[in-house]
Amino acid sequence: MGKLNKTIVTEFILVGLSHHPQAQVAFFAILLVIYLLTLLGNSVITVVIWTDSKLHNPMYFFLSNLSFLDICYTSTSAPQALVNCFIKRPTISFINCFSQMCISLYLGVTECFLLAVMAYDRFVAICNPLHYPLIMNGRVCIQLAVGVWASSFFLTVIPALTMPAEFCGPNVINHFTCEVQAVLKLACSDTHLNGIMMFASGVLTLLIPFAFIMVTYIRIGMAVLRIRSAQGRSKAISTCSSHLTVVSIFYGTAMVMYVRPQTKSVSEQDKLFSVFYGVVTPMLNPLIYSLRNKDVKGALKRHFKITSCSRVSERENKISEKSGNTKHSDSHRKQ
């Protein structure tokens, strides 16, 4: 009888907010604005950092990694969630669901580690400024970046390999996307091992990096308090507090989802938490880390100035070419 109750699942139904049509319309509008702002902000930051030589230093190297990561992270789930708002019975194949789940999990883990590395970079720059160029040289930055992306891959592969192969009907995922916790709730087999693996991964990728970030910012705060200039001290405190706000939103909502006893069903609150760490923080990252920065603002001004000047020169060249051609034709007629 146990075998008869098990079904071979070829696709899943994504519920989302289909039971709340009015909320779904508002969700579509808000998600669309957030997604477009995320793409615009992170794309601008990535292009400006890589094209402006004055921003080729460790801090902006990691910021460009974060911006590229956020574009990929939101793009794994937001477009599908937007499209599903207009579909009465949104479905996703088993292979696509598994791929989306693994990719989003991998990118989420990468962001956890990358934020910790960025906090370490700021810690060295503020607390040990004389040795900063030596400690955070180009080779070390590349090694840290490669280590973050590679270690995140291995930490994602292990839970993915232990995923159950059989799922019980009905094949309905009460979520916007194939979020790993929501998919595990449909498994027929015992998911005790999966729960242990997810908890251990949550400790490694969420609790430890978050604790490390808090310790580094406490050390940074102690160094900032020793700054004699009141203006410089208030500016540093404002920057650190904004960074900690974004970090707390990302890690806090993710820890609520992954470092806690799992329930048998997905609540509406769980969906809201996933929106915060999967969509909202990628939108806030370029605003908090980059667009408030003087160097980035200066690079944007230089970039737009060069672009506008090149357009003006192109127009002038076209006008001069036209006038030259007119003069040449007039002299040819006189002859």
Side-chain angles (χ1 to χ4, degrees):
M1 289 297 292
K3 292 183 178 179
L4 291 173
N5 289 334
K6 296 178 182 178
T7 56
I8 299 174
V9 175
T10 58
E11 66 177 18
F12 294 101
I13 301 170
L14 297 170
V15 175
L17 292 175
S18 57
H19 298 310
H20 309 281
Q22 294 180 349
Q24 195 166 12
V25 173
F27 173 75
F28 171 81
I30 294 171
L31 182 61
L32 179 62
V33 172
I34 292 175
Y35 182 55
L36 292 177
L37 288 175
T38 302
L39 291 181
L40 178 62
N42 287 290
S43 298
V44 169
I45 294 302
T46 304
V47 171
V48 169
I49 290 175
W50 284 100
T51 55
D52 196 306
S53 59
K54 293 184 178 181
L55 299 181
H56 291 175
N57 58 51
M59 183 177 73
Y60 296 111
F61 170 74
F62 293 121
L63 279 174
S64 65
N65 272 262
L66 180 65
S67 294
F68 174 74
L69 173 63
D70 284 337
I71 292 172
C72 298
Y73 191 27
T74 53
S75 297
T76 58
S77 57
Q80 183 189 40
L82 289 169
V83 172
N84 288 346
C85 290
F86 297 100
I87 300 175
K88 291 183 179 179
R89 191 175 179 272
T91 60
I92 184 171
S93 66
F94 176 83
I95 295 175
N96 290 340
C97 182
F98 185 78
S99 300
Q100 184 189 66
M101 181 177 61
C102 292
I103 293 171
S104 61
L105 185 63
Y106 166 59
L107 295 175
V109 172
T110 304
E111 181 145 354
C112 291
F113 288 145
L114 185 58
L115 290 172
V117 169
M118 291 171 64
Y120 173 73
D121 172 70
R122 290 298 84 207
F123 166 74
V124 177
I126 294 173
C127 298
N128 200 357
L130 297 178
H131 296 90
Y132 177 69
L134 182 64
I135 297 173
M136 298 300 293
N137 58 62
R139 184 179 178 182
V140 171
C141 290
I142 293 173
Q143 289 175 346
L144 286 172
V146 172
V148 164
W149 289 88
S151 60
S152 301
F153 177 77
F154 288 113
L155 284 172
T156 305
V157 167
I158 295 173
L161 293 175
T162 60
M163 285 292 293
E166 295 177 327
F167 294 88
C168 300
N171 55 334
V172 178
I173 300 176
N174 187 20
H175 215 284
F176 306 111
T177 59
C178 290
E179 200 272 337
V180 60
Q181 296 287 10
V183 174
L184 281 175
K185 298 182 191 304
L186 303 179
C188 291
S189 56
D190 185 16
T191 59
H192 181 68
L193 176 61
N194 298 100
I196 295 174
M197 292 294 296
M198 293 302 298
F199 179 79
S201 298
V203 171
L204 287 173
T205 61
L206 291 169
L207 284 178
I208 293 177
F210 182 67
F212 175 79
I213 291 173
M214 295 304 294
V215 170
T216 56
Y217 271 99
I218 290 172
R219 295 286 302 275
I220 290 171
M222 293 170 63
V224 166
L225 292 175
R226 290 195 293 267
I227 298 175
R228 295 181 180 180
S229 171
Q231 184 178 0
R233 187 167 56 249
S234 62
K235 182 181 178 182
I237 292 173
S238 174
T239 302
C240 291
S241 61
S242 60
H243 289 187
L244 282 175
T245 301
V246 176
V247 166
S248 299
I249 292 172
F250 178 77
Y251 283 98
T253 53
M255 283 190 288
V256 169
M257 289 291 295
Y258 290 96
V259 189
R260 66 168 187 181
Q262 295 300 313
T263 58
K264 294 182 179 180
S265 61
V266 178
S267 65
E268 299 299 320
Q269 192 177 17
D270 293 339
K271 298 179 187 179
L272 182 62
F273 286 146
S274 68
V275 170
F276 270 99
Y277 68 75
V279 181
V280 175
T281 50
M283 178 196 68
L284 294 176
N285 283 336
L287 298 174
I288 299 299
Y289 286 101
S290 301
L291 295 178
R292 295 179 60 192
N293 189 290
K294 275 187 178 181
D295 295 334
V296 175
K297 288 180 180 178
L300 286 170
K301 289 179 181 178
R302 288 193 297 272
H303 179 75
F304 287 117
K305 186 177 180 180
I306 292 170
T307 305
S308 61
C309 289
S310 61
R311 289 179 179 175
V312 170
S313 61
E314 286 178 2
R315 290 176 183 175
E316 289 177 351
N317 290 333
K318 288 180 180 180
I319 293 170
S320 61
E321 287 177 2
K322 287 181 180 179
S323 61
N325 292 334
T326 304
K327 291 179 180 178
H328 180 72
S329 59
D330 291 340
S331 61
H332 183 70
R333 288 175 183 175
K334 289 179 181 179
Q335 290 179 359

